[in-house]
Structure formats: C-alpha cells, structure tokens
Amino acid sequence: MTYRAGVVGAAGFAGIELVRLLLRHPEFDLALATSDALAGTLIAQAYPAFSGVTDLAFSTHEDADFSACDVVFLAVPHKAAMGVAPALIASGVTVVDLSADFRLKDPAVYEQWYAPHTATDLLATAAFGLPELTGEELAAAAARRAAGEAVLVGCAGCYPTATSLAAAPAIRAGLVDAVAPVVADAISGVTGAGKKATERTHFCFANENAEAYGVGTHRHTPEIEQILGLKDRLVFTPHLAPLNRGLLSTVTLPMAPGAKTTTEELVALYRDFYAESPLVTVMDAGVQPRTASVAGTVRAQVGVVAHPAGVIVATGAIDNLGKGAAGQAVQCANIVFGLPETCGLEEIANPV
Amino acid sequence: MTYRAGVVGAAGFAGIELVRLLLRHPEFDLALATSDALAGTLIAQAYPAFSGVTDLAFSTHEDADFSACDVVFLAVPHKAAMGVAPALIASGVTVVDLSADFRLKDPAVYEQWYAPHTATDLLATAAFGLPELTGEELAAAAARRAAGEAVLVGCAGCYPTATSLAAAPAIRAGLVDAVAPVVADAISGVTGAGKKATERTHFCFANENAEAYGVGTHRHTPEIEQILGLKDRLVFTPHLAPLNRGLLSTVTLPMAPGAKTTTEELVALYRDFYAESPLVTVMDAGVQPRTASVAGTVRAQVGVVAHPAGVIVATGAIDNLGKGAAGQAVQCANIVFGLPETCGLEEIANPV
Amino acid sequence: MTYRAGVVGAAGFAGIELVRLLLRHPEFDLALATSDALAGTLIAQAYPAFSGVTDLAFSTHEDADFSACDVVFLAVPHKAAMGVAPALIASGVTVVDLSADFRLKDPAVYEQWYAPHTATDLLATAAFGLPELTGEELAAAAARRAAGEAVLVGCAGCYPTATSLAAAPAIRAGLVDAVAPVVADAISGVTGAGKKATERTHFCFANENAEAYGVGTHRHTPEIEQILGLKDRLVFTPHLAPLNRGLLSTVTLPMAPGAKTTTEELVALYRDFYAESPLVTVMDAGVQPRTASVAGTVRAQVGVVAHPAGVIVATGAIDNLGKGAAGQAVQCANIVFGLPETCGLEEIANPV
Amino acid sequence: MTYRAGVVGAAGFAGIELVRLLLRHPEFDLALATSDALAGTLIAQAYPAFSGVTDLAFSTHEDADFSACDVVFLAVPHKAAMGVAPALIASGVTVVDLSADFRLKDPAVYEQWYAPHTATDLLATAAFGLPELTGEELAAAAARRAAGEAVLVGCAGCYPTATSLAAAPAIRAGLVDAVAPVVADAISGVTGAGKKATERTHFCFANENAEAYGVGTHRHTPEIEQILGLKDRLVFTPHLAPLNRGLLSTVTLPMAPGAKTTTEELVALYRDFYAESPLVTVMDAGVQPRTASVAGTVRAQVGVVAHPAGVIVATGAIDNLGKGAAGQAVQCANIVFGLPETCGLEEIANPV
C-alpha cells in the first residue's frame, strides 16, 4: 500500500525539492502540489528539471483536495504554517511542517522571535523532527498515527540540524562547559536564501563572495539553543558562500572544567552516539566533512577534534535542502508512517 | 535474479560515477572496482561521498576475479580498453566499454586518430552504445547475450551523444544539406577534463573562465561524423566552462536546398523521432535545454529552432558523466541484460 | 587639464563599471552619476565595493547639472538613449552612448529590431565606437570635437565587439565566402544579463548551468552583420555560463572558393591587422583566448585556426563589461578627447 | 626616481600577483622574476593574462642579478626564505618577505611550528608588515632604509591579516576577556591553497563545496596569537570555499568582565582606530564586509557587532592575494621607500 502525499508551498526551493523526492519515492505518491503564485503553471515550466518527467501543475491551496491525502508537507513561510496546519489535522491528515512554527516548544520564545503563536494546542503535541536526536518523539508520533490519529511533525531547520548533529554528542556526554558561550559559525549555499530573486541572490553578487549575515539576530538561534540546552549562550553567525546546496556548521565548544579528551576518544564517542543512525557518518580522526559529499542527499557528515586550546571543534555538513529541509521531512514522514527511515531517499552524493 | 558487475578503472571520474550508479542499482551488484593506482585504498577515502556508504576498496586489475562477473564496465583510457576487452569476452563476460576503442567502425579511422587497432575482430562485432540512435544494434546484442554469448558495447562519447541527439532527427529526415559544413560548438563542465590534477583543472584557472580547446583536432570529431554521416565536414569546437557536470552542444545545420520548415514543425518532428525514448525530452518551441536540468541524471534535453538564415539550430544538453558516460553505459547494460532501459537510473535532476 | 564626466544610468552594471573606471581615471573626473531609481542613495550603499572610496550619491536625471560636464556617458536602456542624447549634444556636451540606439546606421534596421528611431539626424553623424575597426570614424569625431563640436559616439555592444574582433581580419582579407552562413556561438558571463534580479539571474539557476538563449532572435545580430558585412547570413547564438565577467565568441567562417591558408598564416595576418591596436592580443598558433585572462580589463584576446573542413575558426575573448561596454566607452572617450586610447584603463587581468 | 624591484618565486600565486602589481606600479620597475621550475618560460606563457603585456621570462635564482635591485620580494615557501634573505641583505638589497620566516619574533615558536630558524639575527631586526597595526616598526624600517641600510620586512600572512584587523581594535581597547578562548573561523578562496595542482585544488572537488581544514593545527595560529596577545587561547579554524580570491575571518571575542558596549560604540571605536588607515573600511552598524567588495585590491573591510551573548563578533574581509599577500607586501615596500602607502595599488574592487 502506498500513501498519498501533498505539498503546500511547492514552488519554493524546499517545496520543489519535496516534489522531486516524492516523485521518486516508492511508498508516497505525490497527489497535489500547491502554489498560489504559480497556480495553473506546469511544474515543468517553472522548474525545467521536470520536463518530460511529470505533467502535474501547481494548484491553489483553495482548490486542493487535501481529504485525499494521507500526509501533507507544509513548505510555506514561517507564520503561515500555523494558519494552515490546524484544519488539516482536524480533517485527519498528518502534517509534516518545514517552517519554524512548530519547532519552539515555548510559545513565548516563538513570540519573541516571530509573532504570537495561534496554534498553541497543536504546538504542545507536535513532534520535533530531527530523527537522530528526537527519535523518541517521532516514535511516539508514529505510534499515535498507527492508532489512527493525525499527527504533526515540526521539522528542524537547516542550521539547527547541522549544528546540533555536530554538537549534541559532546554536550550530552557532559564534556561541555555549562556556562561559557558556544560559537557556531556556519556556511550556507545560496538555496538557503530562497527562491526570491533579490540583489542578495543575484548571481553576480553572490558569486565569488563570502559574507556573514544576521549576526546576533538570526532566528535559528533559539531553536539551536533549545535542542542543545544552551539558553542565551549560543553565538551563532551564519555566512553565505557561492554554492547552490550545502551547509557546514563549525561549532566551538568549551570543555567542562576537568574534562580531558582526545580526538580519537571523541570520534569513538560520536560513533557510538550515532550507531543507530544510518544517515550520519562520523568522519575518521583527521578527516573533515565536505558539503559536496552530501549534496543532493539526506546524509550528514560529522567531524570532531579535541583542540589544544581546551575546546572541542565539531563540524557538521549537510545539504540544506536535503537533510536540512525536504529530505529530513521525508525521513520524518517515513518514520511516522512506519517505513524504513531511509525509504526512497538518496544516500549517495555525486562523487564529483 | 541480480547480475554481478565489475568496474575497471573505477578511480577516474567516469569510473567512480559507475560505482555510484551500480551501488544504487537494483539489478546489478557491484562486485569489484579496480584501480591500479589506488589499489588497496578504500573507495570512501578517495571519494568521501562514499563515507558511510560502502566499505569496498579498489583492487588491482590483476587481483580482480572477473570470472565472478556477469558484466564488466571499462572506464580505462583510450587504447587501454582494446587490450583488456578481448580476454574478458573470451572468458564469457559481457563488456560495456566507455572508451573510444570500440566506437569507430573503421579501424583505419581509429588508427588515424588514436593508434593501430589491436582487436579488430571484436570491433567488428561491437554494438555502438547510444540507445536512442542505435537501438537495433543494442537489441541484436541483447539477443546474442540472451543466447549465451558474451557481447561488447562501445558506448558513445559525451560530445557525440549530445551533438548527435540534437542533430540526428533533422539529418535523418533529409532536412540538412549534404555538402555544406555542419558546425557544433559545445560547452563542457570540468569533470569532462578528467580527474588528473593539472593547471587546466586547477580551480583557480578553470573558475570564472570560458575557453575553446582542441580546435580542429578533437578526437570526438570522427565519432560524430560517423554517427551523423558527415564525413570530413563537421566543424566541432569544444569549450570549457566553470561547472562540474553538464554538456551543451549547439549544432548549426544548413538546410538542404528547397527545404523549408518552421520551429513548430521541427519540434513535432523531433518529438516523433524520440517518441519511444523515455530519456530524451524535446523542449517546447522557444524553450532551450539547460544542463542543470539534467545534471546527475541520464536524461537529455533537446531543443530545435528554424533559423531565419536558412539553417536549423539544434541544441542538446546532457550530464557528461551521466548520459555522456556512466549513465549511458548502465542504460546500455540494462538493454543488453533485458532490463528496462531506465532501471536504477536517476531521471530527475535537482530542480535547483 | 582634466575633463568633467557624467554617467547617466549609473546604477546598472555598465553604469557602475563606468563609475569605477572614471573614479580611477587620471584625466576624467566623475562629476555626477544619475539613477532615477536609486537617487539619493550613496553609491557605496548600492555597491559596497565603493565603501570608503567615494561619498558620491546617485542623483536624478532631472537634478543633474550636465552643463558642467565635458562628456556624458549614457548607460541607459535601448530606446531611452535616443531620447536623452539630443539635448546633451545641443547643449554642447559630448556623448558616449553604450546602448544600441546609435549603432545601426540604417534607421529602418533599427526600427525592425527596436522601434522607430527618433533622432535620425544624430544617428547620421554618430561615430561607431569599436576603435580597432572604426578608427577613422573616431579620429574624425576627435577632430570635430577638437574644433569645438559636441560629438556622439555609439559604442559597439559586447557580442558584436568580441565577434567582430575575431572575424574582421579574415573577412577584410577576402578569405571568407561571400554567400554561405557565418556561425557565431558565443558564451557570456551573467553580468551580461544585467542587474535586474530575475529567475534567470538567480544564483541557484545560473550556477552550474549552461544554456543557449535568444536563438535566431538576438538583437546583436544586425549589429554584427553591419560591422562584418554579413547581411542576413549570420547565425548568432548566445549562451549563458556561470561566471560574472567574460565573453567568448567562437566564429566559424567558411573560406572563399579557392582560398587556402594555414593557421600560422592567419596568425600573421591577424597580427598585422592589429599591429596598431595595443588592446588586442592575437594568440600564438595553438593557443586559445581565455576570458579570465582579460576579466576586469579593456583588453581582447583573439585566436584563429585554419580548420581542415575548409573553414576558419576565430575566437575572441573580452570582459563584457570592460572591452564589451564601459571600458570600450572610456577608450572611445580617450580617443575623442585626444588622450592615449589606453589612458586610465586597466590592461592586466588578475593572473588568477 | 623609480626603484628597481625583483620577485623571487614569481611563478606561484603570490609571486605572480606581485609581478602584476609591479608591472603597473609607477615607482617600482620590475627588473627580474625568478622561478627555478619555470626558468626560461615567458611569464605570458605560464599566465596568459600577461599575453601582449610583457615579454619578460622567468629566470633562475642563480642567474638573477639582484645587485641591480633596490628591493626584492620573496614569494618562496616557508623555510626557503630564511635561506635566501641574508645574502640579499648583506649585499645591500632591501627585502620584503611574504613567507612565515620573519614573522614570529620568538625563534622557539618558529621552531615549534616550522623548523630551527637559521637567520635569527635578521629575525631580530625584521619589521612585521601589517601597516595598520605595526606602523611604528615600518616607520623605523623606513628611517633605517633612508639612512642607507638594507632592511627586512616580514609581511603578515593572509589569515592573520584579516583576523587581526577585525580583532585588534576591541582587544587593544581592553574590551576582551584576558583568559577565555577567542574563536576565529575563517573562509578562504582557493588561491589560498596555492598553485600546485592537487586533488584539493581540482575544480571538481573544490567547486560547490565548503569544508574546514587544519583544525587545531594551522600554522597561522601562533602568528595571530602573537599579533593579538592571545598566547595559547586562539581557536582558529580555516575553511575553504569555492571562490578564487577572498578571505573572511569571523572572530568571536568574549567581553572582559564588566565590559558593556553597543554595536554603534564599537563602530565608532573601530573608525577611530583606523582613522589614519586609508585601506581599511569600517562598515556601518548592521552592514557586513563582503570579500567580493575587496577582491583584486589591497583594501580591507571590517565589521563589528556587540552580540547579546556577551561577546563581540568582528569580521574582516580581504583579498588573500591582495591585502593578504602581494598587495600588502607592496604597501609595506611603499612605506619603507617613503612613498604614499597606497602608491600604485588598486583601491576599488569590481562592483560586480
């Protein structure tokens, strides 16, 4: 038996990646893809990678028959998702949301960074979708869904995914100081800036350039702090570099007083931590993750070094649209629907 | 039942792409991957996209047990393949060759561009691997293999594939002048220049640059002339542009005396020509192929325009490592082994 | 004595390159830079390369005091320039126009490709700005300006410049057939697509892609035909590749009946042709131009090959914003004002 | 009067950039350029950006007549420079060294990271070349040279330059904690990896990729620690991104106990600090430096933010070959020879 899936907000970069993943998924059938802006346009016209592949057109949200869907993926902007999800859940459709609306457990924190939350009931029951770190939440959601309930998953953001996968094993092992700031400097490809054509995303401004942005103000800060338990002490600085897909987060973690470790011990610790996670590769000591080695996939590569200055430098590489967005959403859906978590997902990047 | 496959010369760019494709293929199992230069090295160490994916190491050619293979792909340099293929065929292994050694039907032409041919018997029986244009040769090879014979396929090169897919429908329909030169100006990504680290492939020289090379001397010239019947009147000029994967060939075909046509008629003609070819998409009138829209796949996009100067401008876009090399080789193997020609092959490129 | 210069339409890519060139020019002082869209904005805010360099802000066209200028460069869209130039000329200001408005000698041809021409008197007296090929026109304009007249130069476009520099020596030497089509396939960097943020210029669509565009319809066609005398027989196909600056035109010229030549003879012919042109480098036989080797400069590199199929393959590389737009405009202004033609212009590209 | 300049190790990326800068410098004449590997080869053949620009060929070190030079720039590898400099100084030639050999004041530190130092006498008298921070050392060297002495400048490395320009004003103002680690995560373009063609610098591996390298082991660590007084508490992690030129260092500085400041105060402090430094631009509050905005120049852009987590995030952008190597070396030479420090140096980057 296959499941019928819909994508809301399918014309954006995360949405269209969902379309690609669902078109090639053996257990989910893509039933509808909405985009109010492009309604009536063939997907293949907006994104010519689909020429000769699918005749599906974008539909309006209003015209979409969600009742025929088993699961709907929301790839709409922050603040829009919390307006859409309740009706879907109420009608018995499981929802996997890629926006920030169902990530922050505390509505007050959400309000501080976004707006007053308008679906706090759903927020309270949402599972946080970062399977390697929140497996229990997702397993519980899967059990509820198996029992006939429509469930909601709020998937982790791209920076939080890479940063948390890199930092969590060290923090959860008690190796990291409980007071000092943690520094996460991350580099994202330009798909992370979205589909909108702006000066920022113009080829001629983004190409041959590296720059920081959102210093001290990026909205992924509270999400990372929540996952890692770093309340008010994360220094997160994102950067833009001239590549399409790829996100690398370099996390500098001050060691707890008295903690001593070696790179080899850290690698062993990390491998143990991710022993049941088929999509996370912990690199050998001395080898660093490469974003190109996970581009187009739902994999993550993680590296870790014991630094002579008394800190741990952990690095995480993902595809921001793959493990950082659409791929992870499908991974979560796989789990919630009782499928193997890697079902239908590409696991091998282009070697070059 | 699955088949066991080997890759000879697996450490080069076409070879490693074969490794990737075979690792994810449902009917071919990757049994061995040779590289004399990297023998003993883990594939994942040479190409970190395979970290966490496979524990296979490269072996020497000498140590490889080809008798356990149903099919062997040769991704070795020109002139080396004709030294390797005969023994494999003799031992009953079907061979799919990606080099130029079994493409040129006339040994004299091969000798003119490469060296004296040392396996002319095999050359005489080799099927030319460009399925959309040589389907009968491949069907005959499949029949022979089904009857227990080890067969040899010499796959088309990257430039010949894109150029011929773009030009063949017009030429075979008799629309093209039989005397005047045909001009093919093509652009290739840098993977086409191979794995060897040279000044040419150094990031800092290839980046932000476009240049022509091999003007009047490129070895793909006789191959394209053979496929299209353009003896001594192809002007083929390849160019290098700063992208990893992708090849676009723009072919200017002078119309036959008296021929008249419109872009719409040409598009219809092309669509009819490729009606049975699931991997070739003929673009709508007014839409041009994009290499990014086929990167990572085995698809081709073809465009065609009736130009006011009395010529046809046909364009073909492929991934030089996909439809232009490893992907096409697997497509040919699929056909020869009686599988659906798209079996195990990626058909949808990343939308961005 | 220095001259005062203004730039109209200074916020676009050609306009801002003019700003850069004039700020570092020893004989022209940048007096004003207009942009109705960005009026009041600091140049350094719109283009941070000017941070710490200049405090100049864009002004409106209406507010600009052109009477204080000796020369005004027009970097406005086609059809706008012919509306602006007459008043400037009438007020005694010399004008160097970068648009297409004063390039096509025949108003009927202009009307066919653009619109009815509204300044045909000026068009009749305009000098065509491609100094290596129209030196006499520019010398005459310089003489008129020295005599106190305000003169108008209509600078060649980017594709016409590269294509004509590559093809003119062979054509003018009578080596090229007078009837057969000439094919120019050209590759441009993305600055050629302009500053407007569109899907076409979005990093994620332009990056890792090559494509043709405007096949059979590009407006540079009549301009190239005019320069080279190729009425209705130029097949010009432009392509976009993922680089910022750089334009390469590969021109295939069928030889005249009976013409015979070698690459070495062609190189000698070309070197003789450009002996007095300090900004054109004819490459050695066997060496091809590279766009990266002229990026940021006003130089051109030209290569030429006698091809065995009886054609000449000539290639020309320029920076589309340099020799193809702003740099050439300043070169023309230098000539018209009696300065050395290379005055203030960068002649050496970054080696890497 | 002009000075005669030589470049030793002119075929590498820093060396060839020196060649470019000296060819266009009004006061230094390029007299010789050595490369033992490419001796006899025309510069224009190795780097076609010089085609039509210079007929100079590389010479061997042995054949070079340094006695005719007023100044020699050393662009040789670490450990080689200390073998070459003493004889030059002894013969009365002023030396500007781009290697690490004369940067670390303490020979024991040099030995720890490189090798035993073989020219400790010269090391003791060398001026450290980072003019904005070591102006007094350079002024003293200029005075000695004016008095007839041959002097030695050891120029700062690329990462140390960007990192120190970003961090120094805050540290020297006493705003930074004296004990806690300082984190510098930096991104470099691929020219920083040098001219040697390796897998690391192969276009197809570097393109579309971001990765960290040398984590905890990079040799620029002690140099940055020396400049900033951060003995054993710098966590420096360099990264490679797919651009040719450009280096961005993001420095996270924990504030001293009790220190309080705002971004606006920091910007004012930084502007005051660099008031006499024409080549450093401090960005407005809320604006971040861009590497593209300084590429090809000897400028630096610096940004600074007071971060809510109680740290200062300072960012510095340079061209690693410009302000980070050759440009800074010429800037130092200008100072030592009593010329304006910006003499002959490009100050405006390409706007796009």
Side-chain angles (χ1 to χ4, degrees):
Chain A
M1 149 177 198
T2 59
Y3 301 99
R4 288 169 60 85
V7 178
V8 174
F13 283 172
I16 200 66
E17 177 75 351
L18 280 165
V19 168
R20 178 178 80 92
L21 294 179
L22 293 170
L23 281 174
R24 61 200 290 291
H25 197 287
E27 305 294 337
F28 292 117
D29 289 339
L30 181 66
L32 60 86
T34 80
S35 164
D36 286 346
L38 294 184
T41 302
L42 290 175
I43 290 176
Q45 189 174 338
Y47 289 95
F50 296 96
S51 287
V53 172
T54 180
D55 289 332
L56 198 65
F58 296 108
S59 58
T60 62
H61 189 75
E62 193 175 338
D63 291 345
D65 177 14
F66 296 109
S67 69
C69 291
D70 299 293
V71 59
V72 167
F73 295 86
L74 302 183
V76 294
H78 309 312
K79 298 187 273 187
M82 63 183 173
V84 173
L88 289 166
I89 294 285
S91 69
V93 178
T94 282
V95 172
V96 179
D97 178 32
L98 284 76
S99 85
D101 287 2
F102 297 99
R103 295 175 189 161
L104 296 169
K105 303 289 188 189
D106 182 349
V109 174
Y110 183 87
E111 181 165 354
Q112 178 189 345
W113 289 86
Y114 297 92
H117 204 289
T118 60
T120 49
D121 286 359
L122 266 184
L123 176 59
T125 65
F128 189 87
L130 206 176
E132 291 77 9
L133 301 181
T134 64
E136 290 182 20
E137 286 188 45
L138 291 164
R144 285 160 47 212
R145 203 211 58 86
E149 192 180 331
V151 299
L152 172 64
V153 179
C155 294
C158 53
Y159 287 120
T161 295
T163 304
S164 302
L165 290 175
I171 291 175
R172 298 199 179 170
L175 292 172
V176 177
D177 188 86
V179 177
V182 164
V183 177
D185 285 321
I187 302 168
S188 174
V190 184
T191 50
K195 189 199 181 189
K196 193 171 174 193
T198 63
E199 199 154 293
R200 179 184 201 67
T201 60
H202 193 299
F203 183 86
C204 302
F205 289 102
N207 187 34
E208 291 295 294
N209 185 46
E211 64 179 296
Y213 69 97
V215 184
T217 63
H218 197 282
R219 285 169 164 181
H220 280 171
T221 303
E223 186 181 335
I224 302 171
E225 289 183 341
Q226 170 183 292
I227 303 172
L228 296 175
L230 294 175
K231 183 71 179 157
D232 293 339
R233 61 191 178 98
L234 176 72
V235 185
F236 169 55
T237 305
H239 300 73
L240 212 59
L243 47 155
N244 272 13
R245 287 161 170 251
L247 191 159
L248 180 73
S249 188
T250 297
V251 195
T252 302
L253 302 146
M255 284 200 221
K260 282 199 62 159
T261 188
T262 64
T263 296
E264 286 70 21
E265 288 170 354
L266 287 169
V267 169
L269 171 76
Y270 272 59
R271 288 195 167 149
D272 192 52
F273 189 93
Y274 289 119
E276 306 302 319
S277 296
L279 293 173
V280 177
T281 303
V282 178
M283 309 306 284
D284 289 342
V287 179
Q288 283 292 320
R290 303 172 75 249
T291 64
S293 295
V294 294
T297 80
V298 72
R299 298 189 75 80
Q301 290 190 342
V302 172
V304 63
V305 172
H307 189 284
V311 304
I312 294 167
V313 179
T315 42
I318 61 170
D319 179 330
N320 52 299
L321 290 184
K323 181 64 180 165
Q328 183 152 266
V330 174
Q331 183 188 6
C332 289
N334 284 340
I335 293 170
V336 165
F337 280 80
L339 303 168
E341 68 179 297
T342 60
C343 184
L345 294 170
E346 183 62 59
E347 295 186 55
I348 318 179
N350 287 346
V352 281
Chain B
M1 151 178 195
T2 58
Y3 301 99
R4 290 169 58 85
V7 178
V8 174
F13 283 173
I16 199 68
E17 178 75 351
L18 280 164
V19 167
R20 178 176 82 93
L21 295 179
L22 293 170
L23 281 174
R24 62 199 290 291
H25 197 287
E27 305 294 338
F28 292 117
D29 288 339
L30 181 65
L32 59 88
T34 80
S35 165
D36 286 347
L38 293 185
T41 302
L42 290 174
I43 290 175
Q45 190 174 336
Y47 289 95
F50 296 96
S51 288
V53 172
T54 180
D55 290 330
L56 198 66
F58 295 109
S59 58
T60 62
H61 190 75
E62 193 176 338
D63 291 345
D65 177 15
F66 295 110
S67 69
C69 291
D70 298 293
V71 60
V72 167
F73 295 87
L74 302 184
V76 295
H78 309 314
K79 297 187 273 187
M82 65 184 171
V84 173
L88 288 166
I89 294 286
S91 68
V93 178
T94 282
V95 171
V96 179
D97 179 32
L98 283 76
S99 85
D101 287 3
F102 298 99
R103 294 174 189 161
L104 297 169
K105 302 289 190 191
D106 182 348
V109 174
Y110 183 87
E111 180 165 353
Q112 179 189 344
W113 290 86
Y114 297 92
H117 204 290
T118 60
T120 50
D121 287 0
L122 267 184
L123 177 60
T125 64
F128 190 85
L130 206 176
E132 290 78 10
L133 301 181
T134 63
E136 290 182 19
E137 286 188 45
L138 290 165
R144 284 159 48 213
R145 203 212 58 86
E149 194 180 331
V151 299
L152 173 63
V153 178
C155 294
C158 53
Y159 287 120
T161 295
T163 304
S164 302
L165 290 175
I171 291 176
R172 297 198 180 172
L175 293 171
V176 177
D177 187 89
V179 177
V182 166
V183 178
D185 285 321
I187 302 169
S188 173
V190 185
T191 49
K195 190 201 179 188
K196 194 171 173 193
T198 63
E199 199 155 292
R200 182 183 198 69
T201 60
H202 193 299
F203 183 87
C204 302
F205 289 101
N207 188 35
E208 291 295 293
N209 186 46
E211 64 178 296
Y213 69 96
V215 183
T217 64
H218 197 283
R219 287 169 163 179
H220 281 170
T221 303
E223 187 181 335
I224 302 171
E225 289 183 341
Q226 170 184 291
I227 303 172
L228 296 175
L230 294 175
K231 184 70 179 158
D232 293 339
R233 62 191 177 98
L234 176 71
V235 185
F236 168 55
T237 305
H239 301 72
L240 211 58
L243 48 153
N244 272 12
R245 286 161 172 252
L247 192 159
L248 180 73
S249 188
T250 297
V251 195
T252 302
L253 301 146
M255 284 200 222
K260 282 198 65 158
T261 187
T262 65
T263 296
E264 286 70 21
E265 288 171 353
L266 287 170
V267 168
L269 170 75
Y270 272 58
R271 288 196 167 149
D272 192 51
F273 188 93
Y274 289 119
E276 307 302 319
S277 298
L279 295 174
V280 176
T281 303
V282 178
M283 309 306 285
D284 289 344
V287 180
Q288 282 293 318
R290 303 172 75 249
T291 65
S293 295
V294 294
T297 80
V298 71
R299 297 189 75 81
Q301 289 189 342
V302 172
V304 62
V305 173
H307 189 284
V311 303
I312 294 167
V313 180
T315 42
I318 60 170
D319 179 331
N320 53 299
L321 291 184
K323 182 64 178 165
Q328 183 152 267
V330 174
Q331 183 188 6
C332 289
N334 283 340
I335 293 169
V336 165
F337 280 80
L339 303 168
E341 67 180 297
T342 61
C343 184
L345 294 171
E346 183 63 59
E347 295 187 55
I348 318 179
N350 288 346
V352 282
Chain C
M1 148 175 198
T2 58
Y3 301 99
R4 289 170 59 86
V7 178
V8 173
F13 283 173
I16 199 68
E17 178 76 350
L18 280 165
V19 168
R20 178 179 80 93
L21 295 179
L22 294 170
L23 281 174
R24 61 199 290 292
H25 197 287
E27 305 293 337
F28 292 117
D29 289 339
L30 181 66
L32 59 86
T34 80
S35 164
D36 285 347
L38 293 185
T41 302
L42 290 175
I43 290 176
Q45 190 175 336
Y47 289 95
F50 295 96
S51 287
V53 171
T54 180
D55 290 331
L56 198 65
F58 296 109
S59 57
T60 62
H61 189 75
E62 193 175 340
D63 291 344
D65 176 15
F66 295 110
S67 69
C69 291
D70 299 292
V71 59
V72 166
F73 295 86
L74 302 184
V76 295
H78 309 314
K79 297 186 272 188
M82 64 183 173
V84 173
L88 289 166
I89 294 286
S91 69
V93 178
T94 282
V95 171
V96 180
D97 178 31
L98 283 76
S99 85
D101 286 3
F102 297 99
R103 294 175 190 161
L104 296 169
K105 303 289 188 191
D106 181 349
V109 175
Y110 183 87
E111 181 165 352
Q112 178 189 345
W113 290 85
Y114 297 92
H117 205 289
T118 60
T120 49
D121 286 0
L122 266 184
L123 176 60
T125 64
F128 190 86
L130 206 176
E132 291 77 10
L133 301 180
T134 63
E136 289 182 19
E137 287 189 45
L138 290 165
R144 285 159 47 212
R145 202 211 60 84
E149 192 179 332
V151 299
L152 172 64
V153 179
C155 293
C158 53
Y159 287 120
T161 295
T163 304
S164 302
L165 290 176
I171 291 174
R172 298 200 180 171
L175 292 171
V176 177
D177 188 87
V179 177
V182 165
V183 177
D185 285 321
I187 302 168
S188 174
V190 185
T191 49
K195 190 199 180 190
K196 194 170 174 195
T198 63
E199 199 154 294
R200 181 184 199 67
T201 60
H202 193 298
F203 183 86
C204 302
F205 288 101
N207 188 34
E208 292 295 293
N209 186 46
E211 64 179 294
Y213 69 98
V215 183
T217 63
H218 197 283
R219 286 170 164 180
H220 280 171
T221 303
E223 185 181 336
I224 303 172
E225 290 183 341
Q226 171 183 289
I227 303 172
L228 296 176
L230 296 174
K231 184 71 179 156
D232 292 339
R233 62 191 178 97
L234 176 72
V235 185
F236 169 55
T237 305
H239 300 73
L240 211 58
L243 47 154
N244 273 12
R245 287 162 171 251
L247 191 159
L248 180 73
S249 188
T250 297
V251 195
T252 302
L253 302 147
M255 285 201 222
K260 281 199 64 159
T261 187
T262 65
T263 296
E264 287 69 21
E265 287 171 354
L266 288 169
V267 169
L269 171 76
Y270 272 58
R271 287 195 167 150
D272 192 51
F273 189 93
Y274 290 120
E276 307 302 319
S277 297
L279 293 174
V280 176
T281 303
V282 178
M283 309 306 284
D284 289 343
V287 180
Q288 282 293 320
R290 303 172 75 250
T291 63
S293 295
V294 294
T297 79
V298 71
R299 298 189 75 81
Q301 290 189 341
V302 171
V304 64
V305 172
H307 189 284
V311 303
I312 294 166
V313 179
T315 42
I318 61 170
D319 179 331
N320 52 299
L321 290 184
K323 181 64 177 166
Q328 184 152 265
V330 174
Q331 183 188 5
C332 289
N334 284 339
I335 293 170
V336 165
F337 280 81
L339 302 169
E341 67 180 297
T342 61
C343 184
L345 293 170
E346 183 62 60
E347 295 187 55
I348 319 181
N350 288 346
V352 281
Chain D
M1 145 174 202
T2 59
Y3 301 99
R4 289 168 60 85
V7 177
V8 174
F13 282 173
I16 200 69
E17 178 75 352
L18 280 164
V19 167
R20 178 177 81 93
L21 295 178
L22 294 169
L23 281 174
R24 61 199 291 292
H25 197 288
E27 305 294 336
F28 292 118
D29 289 339
L30 181 65
L32 59 88
T34 80
S35 165
D36 285 347
L38 293 185
T41 302
L42 290 174
I43 290 176
Q45 189 175 337
Y47 289 95
F50 296 96
S51 288
V53 172
T54 179
D55 291 330
L56 198 66
F58 295 109
S59 58
T60 62
H61 189 75
E62 193 176 338
D63 291 345
D65 177 15
F66 295 110
S67 69
C69 292
D70 298 293
V71 60
V72 168
F73 295 86
L74 302 183
V76 294
H78 308 312
K79 296 187 272 187
M82 65 183 172
V84 173
L88 289 167
I89 295 286
S91 69
V93 178
T94 282
V95 171
V96 179
D97 178 32
L98 283 76
S99 85
D101 287 3
F102 297 99
R103 294 174 190 163
L104 296 169
K105 302 290 190 191
D106 182 347
V109 174
Y110 182 87
E111 181 166 351
Q112 179 189 343
W113 290 86
Y114 296 92
H117 204 290
T118 60
T120 50
D121 287 1
L122 266 184
L123 176 60
T125 64
F128 190 86
L130 206 177
E132 290 78 10
L133 300 181
T134 63
E136 291 182 18
E137 286 188 45
L138 291 165
R144 284 159 47 211
R145 205 211 57 85
E149 194 179 331
V151 298
L152 172 64
V153 179
C155 294
C158 53
Y159 287 120
T161 295
T163 305
S164 302
L165 290 175
I171 291 175
R172 297 199 179 171
L175 292 171
V176 177
D177 188 86
V179 176
V182 165
V183 177
D185 285 322
I187 302 168
S188 174
V190 185
T191 49
K195 189 201 179 187
K196 194 170 173 193
T198 63
E199 200 154 290
R200 182 184 198 68
T201 59
H202 193 298
F203 182 86
C204 302
F205 289 101
N207 188 34
E208 290 295 292
N209 186 46
E211 65 179 295
Y213 69 97
V215 184
T217 63
H218 197 283
R219 285 170 163 179
H220 281 171
T221 303
E223 186 181 334
I224 302 171
E225 290 183 341
Q226 171 183 289
I227 303 171
L228 296 176
L230 294 174
K231 183 70 178 159
D232 293 339
R233 62 192 179 95
L234 176 73
V235 185
F236 168 56
T237 305
H239 301 72
L240 211 58
L243 48 153
N244 273 11
R245 287 162 170 251
L247 191 158
L248 180 73
S249 188
T250 297
V251 195
T252 303
L253 302 146
M255 284 201 220
K260 282 199 64 162
T261 187
T262 65
T263 296
E264 287 69 21
E265 287 170 354
L266 286 170
V267 168
L269 170 75
Y270 272 58
R271 287 194 167 151
D272 192 52
F273 189 94
Y274 289 119
E276 307 301 319
S277 297
L279 294 174
V280 177
T281 303
V282 178
M283 309 305 285
D284 289 343
V287 180
Q288 282 293 319
R290 302 172 77 249
T291 63
S293 295
V294 293
T297 79
V298 71
R299 298 189 74 82
Q301 289 190 341
V302 171
V304 63
V305 172
H307 188 284
V311 304
I312 294 166
V313 179
T315 42
I318 61 171
D319 178 332
N320 52 299
L321 290 183
K323 182 64 178 166
Q328 182 152 266
V330 174
Q331 183 188 6
C332 289
N334 284 340
I335 293 170
V336 164
F337 280 81
L339 303 167
E341 67 179 298
T342 60
C343 184
L345 293 170
E346 184 62 60
E347 295 186 56
I348 318 179
N350 287 345
V352 282

